[in-house]
Amino acid sequence: MDDGFLDTDAEHEHDASVSSLAIVQPGEVDAELLEGWIGDLLRDRGADIFRTKGILAIAGSPKKCVFQGVHMIFNSALGGEWAEGEPRESRLVFIGKNLQHEELRAGFSACLATPQLDVQRRAALRFEVGAHVQCKVAPDEWAKGRVVAQLYRNTPEEGRAGGVSPYQVELDGGDLIFVPLDDDQVIRRA
C-alpha cells in the first residue's frame, strides 16, 4: 500500500469526471413511467452511478416512497404519510461518474403524472366502465364481473402503492379485484 494513502496533509488528485446532482421536482410522478426510466437508467448507466437516494411523491399514494441504490442495485420502500399541506415533491440525489445532468433532469421530468397521460391511457383501454367481463382469478378459472373503474390506483395493502391497473372489477359474488393487464389472457369480454 502507498505510504501516503491515509495522509490527510498530502496533496490529492480528484477525478473531475465524478459529480453529484440533486433534483427537486414539484408534483407527483407516475409509478409505471418511473420504474421504466429507473430500470433503463440503471441498466444502461448503472456502472457509472455510484449512489442514488431520494424521496418520491408517487401519484395516488398517501405515503412517501424512500429509495436508495448503489450502482445497479436499487431498493425502495414506503415511508411515512405526506403531512397535510406538505408540498408533494420528489427529491433525488445522484453521485457518479460522467453524469449527464440535463439528461437526468429531463428523464425524471418525463415521469411526472399529468392529466394528458391519464387521457392517453384511458383511450387505449378496451373496456368502458360498466362493461361485462370475465377475469382470470386462478390458473384455470375465470369469474364474471363488471368493470367499475378504469386506471385504478392500487393501495399499499394491494402491494402496488401508486401503481395503476387498467381496471377494477366487481365480480358477480361482490368481491372487488384489480386487473393488472389489459390483455385477453387476464380479462376478456363476457
Side-chain angles (χ1 to χ4, degrees):
M1 176 172 22
D2 180 0
D3 290 337
F5 179 68
L6 295 176
D7 183 359
T8 58
D9 294 326
E11 288 188 30
H12 298 284
E13 288 185 36
H14 295 280
D15 187 340
S17 66
V18 175
S19 66
S20 64
L21 170 66
I23 298 173
V24 177
Q25 178 70 59
E28 298 178 323
V29 294
D30 179 82
E32 186 178 329
L33 292 177
L34 179 69
E35 287 173 11
W37 177 69
I38 288 284
D40 291 347
L41 178 66
L42 295 180
R43 181 193 67 232
D44 298 342
R45 308 278 316 281
D48 286 342
I49 298 176
F50 304 151
R51 183 91 163 89
T52 57
K53 61 182 178 176
I55 297 174
L56 303 171
I58 304 293
S61 176
K63 296 187 177 205
K64 298 173 182 178
C65 177
V66 180
F67 80 93
Q68 60 182 334
V70 176
H71 291 290
M72 292 174 228
I73 299 170
F74 178 82
N75 186 10
S76 66
L78 293 176
E81 292 198 5
W82 292 94
E84 189 173 326
E86 182 179 9
R88 301 271 302 201
E89 65 182 16
S90 296
R91 297 178 297 265
L92 303 97
V93 174
F94 292 93
I95 301 169
K97 185 175 181 179
N98 300 317
L99 294 178
Q100 303 298 316
H101 292 213
E102 292 311 311
E103 181 182 312
L104 289 168
R105 281 189 182 95
F108 185 71
S109 289
C111 297
L112 285 174
T114 64
Q116 297 87 347
L117 180 61
D118 278 352
V119 168
Q120 290 172 342
R121 285 185 173 155
R122 280 185 206 286
L125 294 176
R126 298 179 299 146
F127 303 110
E128 296 294 326
V129 171
H132 293 278
V133 294
Q134 291 182 327
C135 299
K136 194 167 205 170
V137 294
D140 294 318
E141 184 180 350
W142 290 83
K144 291 183 179 181
R146 182 178 56 85
V147 174
V148 294
Q150 292 180 323
L151 302 181
Y152 173 70
R153 293 210 181 271
N154 303 98
T155 65
E157 294 77 28
E158 293 167 325
R160 295 184 63 212
V164 178
S165 294
Y167 306 104
Q168 184 181 40
V169 172
E170 181 179 9
L171 299 178
D172 285 353
D175 290 336
L176 287 171
I177 63 169
F178 68 89
V179 180
L181 298 171
D182 188 10
D183 185 278
D184 275 337
Q185 294 181 28
V186 180
I187 184 171
R188 61 188 183 198
R189 193 164 301 282

